[in-house]
Amino acid sequence: MWYNERINRKRYARKPKFYLCCGNGKVQLPLLRESPVILKRLLTEDDEMGRYFRENFRVINMVFSFTSLGGKVDHSIQKGMGPQIFQLHGENYHLMDSLKPPDSDSDKFGQLYIVDTKNEIANRAAIVGVNQKSLKSDSYDSIQQSENAGKTDMHEQGSRFLLPASFTGGARYMKNMYLDAMAICKHFGFPDHEITRYLHPRKLTAEDMPDILRRMFKIKLESLTTDLTYKQLLGKTFSAMYTIEFQKREIPDKEKESELYEVVKDMMIHVNKEGFPVYREKVFKCDNTHVILYNKELSLWYRAHINVEWCNQTDGRIFQFPIHYRSTPVERIQFHLPGKQTIVFKDDDTYEEVTSRKLIENTMFLGWFELCKVSEIARTLNLTEIPTMFTWNKREKKFYDRKKGVSIGRINYAPRKIEEAFYMRVLLNIVRGPFSFKDIKKFNGVVYPGYKETCFARGLLEDDQEYIDDIVRTSFTGFASYLRHAFVIMLMYGTLSTPEDVLEMLTTQYS
């Protein structure tokens, strides 16, 4: 291990601790046994026999090695009444095909891990997904309603999912990383500096030493982050974050792809600040590191620099190094409507096992209500501000005063289509100190029937008169089909606050 791969890189340590090699002590190997006397002498003594052994130990070792059976079998031996025997002609050897299949054949067996790594990893993940126990999720009241109808078989309950939100590179993972970044920007403001660093291996290539390259990149990345944040190279840093992208830059073959070669040469070669190519010894020399990222098909078709990036690509992640980092922790706060707390269970769990879990009654969201009943400080904060002053104990299902560190809160996303949850989330960013769901819908002493009505009362939503007036004006010159199309567009993009009222008003006006 390299010293800069230690766990705490901000401090000098005479006895550093590492994670990559042994998981910070979780993996322990037994001590090596004492070598036999004759082998120890051959490995350590500086005599003629010892030097000869160390110079030729690989050849000597092969003499005693075993190999799988291979060779030319003689089938001419007559079978008799005795034991079965067979005879080999020539050398006994181990047969191994090429790691690259012939052009006329498809890859198979070990070749899959060399030629088609991406699909093979996906196939292995699919096999694991098919054979593992099915994980499902459903709301508490939905399970209760099924029980009232006499359906207690958990195989028929909930929806199945394979990849959790913590799966690196998954769609839910990437979305959470983006929303966390937006929460940090909301708290501290938008970034002041954006720094891009490229790793250009001059002598090493990813194909030759992928593990060394990843470790070197990680060390340099952590060193850069420490210089910018802890050492304040560019000034005091309140928060920092980064994301890692795996990019491939390549100059097309001039003979095989001459047109694309000309496009890349003209459109995608790095130049200096004056706009001219960098010349060396009066000859412009460039390699793949000088090429700006581009999409082959689109660049060739439009003869321009066009780049398309796959945002959640993680093929180069071989050490489980994180591809996202943020210096400020973000607490993702789950909320739910009454009785809608999500329950995760296995398909072979029983109804009693699922409904008896403490998580049903003691969610973090319900714990917020209990905290507001006993804490004056909590009653002055909205839900997103709670993590700045309190921490949630997952084991005890209870909030405690924050004693160290800093964290900001982010309420989980709710789509506009789930109307009650959407408008409840809007209110949770404003309401302070509620004791129950009823208090969230209360404003100026009035408890409104729904969360949407409460948003209207607080002035968080505007009426739709502007859109009604626009439709009326257009009706004098536009066809009916055009008006229907415009109204559908408003519905699809969630433009209207109360679409049912708008439809009723227009229907009454034009009927």
Side-chain angles (χ1 to χ4, degrees):
M1 298 299 297
W2 286 310
Y3 180 73
N4 284 334
E5 291 182 296
R6 65 191 186 280
I7 295 178
N8 191 348
R9 288 172 294 274
K10 296 180 181 179
R11 296 182 179 179
Y12 172 79
R14 297 183 61 183
K15 296 182 179 180
K17 296 182 179 180
F18 300 92
Y19 184 84
L20 184 61
C21 57
C22 60
N24 194 18
K26 293 181 180 180
V27 178
Q28 296 185 1
L29 300 178
L31 297 177
L32 295 176
R33 296 181 180 180
E34 188 72 19
S35 300
V37 177
I38 185 173
L39 181 59
K40 188 175 181 180
R41 185 178 68 82
L42 292 173
L43 291 172
T44 57
E45 294 294 333
D46 192 24
D47 54 11
E48 182 178 356
M49 183 177 293
R51 290 192 298 270
Y52 178 84
F53 176 80
R54 290 190 293 272
E55 292 174 359
N56 301 277
F57 72 90
R58 185 179 296 274
V59 177
I60 297 174
N61 185 62
M62 290 298 294
V63 175
F64 300 98
S65 65
F66 290 92
T67 179
S68 58
L69 184 62
K72 186 177 180 181
V73 181
D74 185 0
H75 298 283
S76 63
I77 300 178
Q78 298 294 329
K79 295 182 179 180
M81 301 298 295
Q84 293 287 339
I85 62 173
F86 68 93
Q87 181 175 338
L88 292 176
H89 283 299
E91 183 181 2
N92 186 19
Y93 58 85
H94 173 69
L95 179 62
M96 180 178 179
D97 288 337
S98 171
L99 292 179
K100 185 177 180 180
D103 297 335
S104 60
D105 195 6
S106 59
D107 45 282
K108 54 184 178 292
F109 303 115
Q111 297 168 348
L112 295 171
Y113 299 94
I114 304 299
V115 180
D116 195 15
T117 55
K118 182 185 300 183
N119 290 331
E120 180 57 24
I121 293 173
N123 293 337
R124 290 177 62 85
I127 294 174
V128 173
V130 170
N131 290 279
Q132 71 177 359
K133 290 185 177 180
S134 175
L135 291 178
K136 296 183 176 180
S137 64
D138 204 348
S139 62
Y140 175 63
D141 62 347
S142 176
I143 296 176
Q144 288 282 49
Q145 292 172 8
S146 299
E147 194 273 338
N148 294 334
K151 299 179 180 179
T152 58
D153 187 358
M154 303 310 295
H155 285 84
E156 303 175 358
Q157 289 291 122
S159 57
R160 184 183 181 189
F161 65 91
L162 292 177
L163 297 179
S166 59
F167 178 79
T168 303
R172 296 164 63 195
Y173 170 86
M174 301 299 292
K175 185 174 183 178
N176 278 331
M177 293 298 105
Y178 165 76
L179 294 175
D180 288 349
M182 293 299 100
I184 293 175
C185 292
K186 178 182 177 182
H187 185 83
F188 291 104
F190 287 101
D192 296 310
H193 301 286
E194 179 182 354
I195 301 174
T196 303
R197 185 188 185 282
Y198 296 98
L199 176 64
H200 297 317
R202 299 292 181 180
K203 297 181 180 180
L204 299 178
T205 62
E207 291 78 8
D208 295 334
M209 298 181 177
D211 55 338
I212 300 296
L213 273 181
R214 267 58 172 190
R215 290 170 61 187
M216 288 176 58
F217 176 79
K218 177 68 172 176
I219 290 175
K220 293 183 177 182
L221 177 63
E222 295 294 342
S223 177
L224 175 63
T225 305
T226 301
D227 288 341
L228 295 174
T229 57
Y230 182 72
K231 297 182 179 180
Q232 303 180 5
L233 186 63
L234 299 180
K236 186 176 181 180
T237 302
F238 294 98
S239 184
M241 65 185 79
Y242 68 67
T243 183
I244 298 175
E245 297 179 356
F246 299 94
Q247 303 176 345
K248 183 179 181 180
R249 302 157 180 263
E250 184 178 15
I251 300 178
D253 188 285
K254 188 175 182 179
E255 302 297 331
K256 297 180 180 179
E257 298 177 303
S258 57
E259 291 188 35
L260 182 61
Y261 176 84
E262 293 297 327
V263 172
V264 172
K265 183 185 71 172
D266 296 338
M267 304 292 181
M268 282 154 279
I269 299 296
H270 282 304
V271 296
N272 59 18
K273 61 182 180 180
E274 287 80 19
F276 297 98
V278 179
Y279 287 86
R280 297 179 184 174
E281 298 177 355
K282 298 182 180 181
V283 178
F284 179 34
K285 297 180 180 180
C286 66
D287 54 20
N288 291 336
T289 62
H290 295 82
V291 182
I292 305 174
L293 296 174
Y294 65 93
N295 179 272
K296 178 179 178 180
E297 288 76 15
L298 293 177
S299 297
L300 185 59
W301 179 260
Y302 291 98
R303 303 192 68 82
H305 172 215
I306 299 178
N307 178 36
V308 179
E309 294 189 28
W310 188 5
C311 296
N312 63 344
Q313 178 74 349
T314 58
D315 288 347
R317 186 171 176 265
I318 61 176
F319 278 121
Q320 295 187 348
F321 290 150
I323 61 174
H324 295 278
Y325 164 82
R326 56 179 182 272
S327 60
T328 305
V330 177
E331 182 77 30
R332 300 169 188 169
I333 305 173
Q334 294 185 353
F335 73 99
H336 55 83
L337 296 168
K340 297 291 185 179
Q341 50 264 58
T342 302
I343 304 175
V344 179
F345 55 91
K346 299 177 182 177
D347 53 3
D348 58 353
D349 287 343
T350 63
Y351 170 80
E352 290 75 16
E353 290 175 339
V354 174
T355 56
S356 62
R357 294 174 180 171
K358 293 183 179 181
L359 182 61
I360 297 175
E361 299 179 356
N362 302 311
T363 63
M364 184 179 184
F365 185 61
L366 297 179
W368 177 43
F369 294 155
E370 300 301 320
L371 175 65
C372 292
K373 294 177 182 179
V374 298
S375 173
E376 294 183 3
I377 297 178
R379 290 194 287 270
T380 65
L381 307 174
N382 61 38
L383 183 56
T384 61
E385 296 169 338
I386 288 295
T388 62
M389 302 296 294
F390 301 90
T391 59
W392 174 252
N393 189 307
K394 295 182 179 180
R395 177 175 296 180
E396 299 181 16
K397 309 299 180 186
K398 186 178 180 181
F399 276 105
Y400 287 94
D401 293 339
R402 177 174 292 278
K403 296 181 180 179
K404 62 179 181 179
V406 63
S407 180
I408 61 177
R410 174 177 71 81
I411 304 176
N412 279 354
Y413 170 78
R416 182 74 178 267
K417 295 180 179 179
I418 308 178
E419 194 170 86
E420 281 294 280
F422 177 82
Y423 290 110
M424 182 184 187
R425 184 181 184 277
V426 173
L427 293 171
L428 292 177
N429 286 277
I430 300 174
V431 174
R432 302 175 186 274
F435 293 173
S436 62
F437 289 97
K438 180 180 177 181
D439 291 340
I440 300 176
K441 296 184 288 186
K442 183 186 293 186
F443 180 64
N444 288 338
V446 179
V447 179
Y448 292 87
Y451 301 105
K452 187 175 183 179
E453 291 78 4
T454 310
C455 289
F456 270 112
R458 287 179 172 269
L460 302 176
L461 296 177
E462 298 180 355
D463 59 33
D464 299 316
Q465 190 61 44
E466 178 184 357
Y467 301 102
I468 296 174
D469 295 340
D470 187 64
I471 293 176
V472 172
R473 285 193 300 269
T474 308
S475 65
F476 295 110
T477 57
F479 293 102
S481 60
Y482 177 80
L483 297 178
R484 289 193 295 268
H485 180 75
F487 185 72
V488 171
I489 293 296
M490 293 179 185
L491 293 177
M492 291 176 59
Y493 288 94
T495 305
L496 303 175
S497 298
T498 55
E500 62 279 359
D501 295 341
V502 174
L503 179 61
E504 182 179 357
M505 185 177 299
L506 293 175
T507 302
T508 302
Q509 182 170 350
Y510 290 104
S511 60

